[in-house]
């Protein structure tokens, strides 16, 4: 899919060049022998269909009559149609330098500007578009493009004088072993690299794209890329994939598949143990009759960004978003709108694991020339801010796309198209490679992320469980992550953001709610966590500590941050109407036993009152304070005393 987009510029060049090939001998060429050679070259191409012979005659004409500019343009136009852009560029530059700036040359200046930008020849780009505008053109779209490219020249000069970081490096073998590889993405733990491969058509089906995976070793080296699964890859095209942070949900682009909605559609598959499920088309709520591709999933797999060519957008390609509801149904995709989308082509969205920074590629904003990568931050109102160019060397004159930044903000991976080089065979397709680099501060996502990873078990049988794992921001009482542990092995991965305080819940039908707390508000260390979770069956006598209920010292009034836990308790009890529970209050041994007994009773009663006020029948509830009589550890340190100060939920 990416290669088709990159080749579209070549098609535009051909369309621009074609009208200039066939024309009468210009009156400015007065020498009879020169006119004869001119006609011979024209006939060789248009009548005899011998382009290479025509090129030889054009060169012969140029060698004998170097002061005529028009033959250079004819040669250049023919070279464009043959795919030899580097030599076409040189011919256009020489030819136009010998001719006056006039409206008849407007199309040639546009083509020169495009060819020059392909190789980053900014002086030639500036000359071409300046001369184009001097012809007083009337095509508004082309005038706007010319003005944008002149702005790009100014921006490029400033950006290249002030690099934002180190130059990216081509990823070493065994990666980049194919002609084309693009759209790299990592799981949240950075242990698996997923990318699209387009293999050489002489050995495989024409333009066959597949999804590959490379496992990252402990020392950071990449393993030999392998097909991700025979359940995913087929004789059709599968590519431009995205994977959830836990590595269990894959969304990819499939083109021309039976039962598809449009030209290219988005498909979803889920990993169960070591196997991927049969892909399912995301349907008309997400896909359209047009081209839909380049997906990016949020870390928990519940929000999907992608690029689409459907009508009704702001430009040629726009970025859209869809979210999945509690029943697993995706919502109607909506255009993310301005300022993200532009009148140009907006492609390759990437939502960072933190969920608050969006990166994407566009040619609709001022940059270094072709398609540049920009970043935008989500504000407190849920609106995307003004996109900012990542600068040089992340962006160059070439097409940059498919940026991915690791959850910890340390490494970046992205795609760059090889520019055409002198000596390349005419018509040779540019290679597409994957590069990597350290992430400079100006490019990093606003929030750094880490992850907690482990397995969920039955506390009694020790068998793996398929459980829902949720993360709530305690300061805003909003759900930020929702993932599921694998039914076969119990594995889960959830992403946490620096500077946040979280309540984490693990739940499964027939089990008590597991409540955990992670406070990264002021923590200096922000390393990944390994945490296995054991769920107790919801049977008489079983209990669970509620770790996200908060009181001031020696007080029984629930603090506002307790709302998250209280609401989860209400939902838990609604799901099993037969369950009767005791809210048990406990304290440490600071103070008198009588005071502690009273405090524990009042705190338990505060929780019960909230549950009763939110439609949980009083007949199902009991509050009991135990004071300091049931410590879980010795009261010999503040850390241990904090463990003993707790509220428990016990099944009656």
């Amino acid at each position: 899919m990416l290669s088709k987009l990159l080749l579209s510029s070549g098609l535009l060049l051909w369309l621009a060049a074609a009208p200039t090939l066939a024309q009468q001998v210009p009156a400015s060429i007065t020498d009879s022998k020169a006119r004869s050679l001119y006609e011979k070259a024209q006939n060789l191409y248009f009548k005899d269909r011998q382009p290479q012979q025509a090129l030889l005659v054009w060169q012969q004409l140029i060698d004998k009559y170097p002061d005529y500019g028009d033959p250079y343009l004819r040669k250049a136009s023919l070279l464009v149609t043959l795919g030899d852009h580097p030599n076409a560029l040189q011919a256009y530059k020489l030819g136009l330098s010998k001719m006056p700036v006039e409206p008849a040359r407007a199309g040639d200046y546009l083509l020169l500007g495009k060819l020059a930008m392909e190789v980053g020849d900014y002086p030639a780009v500036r000359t071409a578009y300046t001369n184009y505008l001097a012809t007083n053109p009337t095509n508004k779209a082309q005038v706007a493009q010319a003005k944008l490219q002149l702005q790009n020249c100014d921006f490029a000069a400033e950006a290249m004088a002030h690099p934002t970081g180190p130059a990216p490096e081509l990823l070493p073998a065994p990666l980049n072993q194919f002609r084309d590889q693009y759209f790299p993405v990592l799981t949240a733990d950075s242990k698996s690299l997923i990318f699209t491969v387009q293999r050489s058509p002489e050995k495989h089906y024409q333009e066959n794209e597949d999804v590959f995976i490379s496992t990252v070793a402990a020392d950071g080296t990449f393993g030999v890329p392998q097909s991700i699964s025979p359940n995913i890859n087929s004789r059709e095209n599968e590519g431009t994939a995205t994977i959830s942070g836990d590595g269990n949900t894959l969304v990819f682009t499939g083109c021309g598949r039976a039962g598809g909605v449009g030209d290219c559609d988005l498909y979803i598959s889920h990993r169960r143990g070591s196997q991927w499920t049969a892909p399912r088309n995301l349907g008309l709520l997400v896909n359209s009759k047009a081209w839909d591709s380049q997906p990016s999933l949020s870390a928990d797999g519940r929000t999907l960004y992608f690029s689409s060519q459907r009508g009704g957008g702001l430009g040629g390609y726009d970025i859209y978003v869809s979210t999945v509801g509690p029943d697993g149904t995706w919502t109607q995709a909506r255009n993310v709108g301005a300022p993200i989308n532009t009148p140009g082509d907006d492609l390759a969205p990437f939502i960072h694991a933190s969920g608050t920074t969006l990166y994407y590629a566009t040619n609709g904003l001022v940059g270094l020339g072709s398609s540049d990568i920009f970043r935008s931050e989500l504000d407190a109102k849920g609106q995307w801010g003004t996109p900012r160019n990542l600068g040089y060397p992340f962006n160059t004159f070439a097409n940059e796309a498919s940026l991915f930044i690791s959850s910890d903000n340390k490494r970046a991976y992205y795609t760059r198209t090889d520019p055409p080089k002198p000596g390349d065979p005419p018509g040779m397709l540019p290679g597409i490679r994957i590069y990597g680099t350290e992430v400079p501060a100006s490019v990093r996502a606003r929030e750094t992320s880490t992850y907690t990873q482990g397995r969920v078990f039955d506390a009694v049988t020790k068998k793996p469980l398929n459980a829902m794992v949720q993360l709530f921001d305690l300061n805003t009482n909003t759900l930020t992550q929702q993932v599921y542990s694998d039914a076969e092995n119990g594995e889960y991965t959830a992403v946490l953001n620096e500077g946040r305080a979280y309540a984490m819940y693990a739940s499964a039908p027939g089990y008590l709610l597991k409540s955990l707390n992670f406070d990264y508000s002021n923590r200096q260390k922000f390393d990944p966590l390994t945490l296995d979770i054991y769920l107790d069956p919801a049977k008489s006598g079983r209990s669970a500590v509620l770790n996200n209920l908060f009181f001031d010292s020696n007080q029984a009034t629930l603090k506002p941050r307790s709302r998250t836990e209280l609401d989860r308790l209400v939902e838990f009890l609604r799901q099993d109407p037969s369950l009767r529970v005791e809210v048990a209050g406990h304290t440490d041994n600071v103070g008198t036993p009588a005071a502690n007994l009273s405090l524990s009773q009042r705190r338990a009663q505060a929780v019960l009152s909230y549950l009763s006020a939110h439609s949980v029948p009083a007949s199902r509830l009991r509050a009991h304070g135990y004071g300091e009589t049931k410590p879980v550890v010795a009261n010999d340190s503040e850390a241990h005393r904090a463990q003993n100060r707790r509220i428990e939920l016990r099944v009656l």
Side-chain angles (χ1 to χ4, degrees), residues 45-64:
Y45 182 74
F46 288 103
K47 290 184 178 180
D48 301 334
R49 303 300 183 189
Q50 297 184 40
Q52 297 299 333
Q53 292 301 314
L55 275 179
L56 292 175
V57 175
W58 286 126
Q59 189 59 50
Q60 183 181 0
L61 177 55
I62 289 168
D63 291 340
K64 288 185 176 181

Side-chain angles (χ1 to χ4, degrees), residues 87-123:
N87 285 317
L89 170 61
Q90 297 307 315
Y92 268 116
K93 288 169 69 175
L94 287 169
L96 288 170
S97 69
K98 300 175 184 295
M99 306 175 75
V101 177
E102 56 185 355
R105 301 274 70 83
D108 295 312
Y109 287 125
L110 283 177
L111 191 47
L112 171 59
K114 293 175 183 178
L115 289 169
M117 188 58 81
E118 281 188 355
V119 295
D121 186 347
Y122 289 108

Side-chain angles (χ1 to χ4, degrees), residues 240-242 251 253 266 282 286 292-299 301-308 318-323 330 333-337 340-341 347-352 355-360 376 378 382-384:
T240 54
T242 179
V251 174
T253 308
L266 297 175
L282 285 177
V286 174
D292 300 289
S293 183
Q294 302 177 344
S296 178
L297 277 171
S298 60
R302 296 168 57 239
T303 303
L304 175 66
Y305 294 85
F306 63 98
S307 185
S308 178
D318 275 12
I319 293 171
Y320 287 75
V321 63
S322 175
T323 56
W330 290 88
R334 63 176 179 82
N335 191 301
V336 300
I340 300 299
N341 288 321
L347 300 160
F350 159 60
I351 185 70
H352 186 257
T356 56
T357 305
L358 179 71
Y359 300 82
Y360 70 108
S376 176
L378 195 67
Q383 301 298 312
W384 291 108

Side-chain angles (χ1 to χ4, degrees), residues 498-499 517-527 529:
E498 192 173 25
N517 178 271
F518 301 98
D519 191 347
Y520 289 104
S521 301
N522 300 301
R523 193 177 292 188
Q524 293 184 352
K525 275 196 170 184
F526 194 54
D527 299 323
L529 300 172

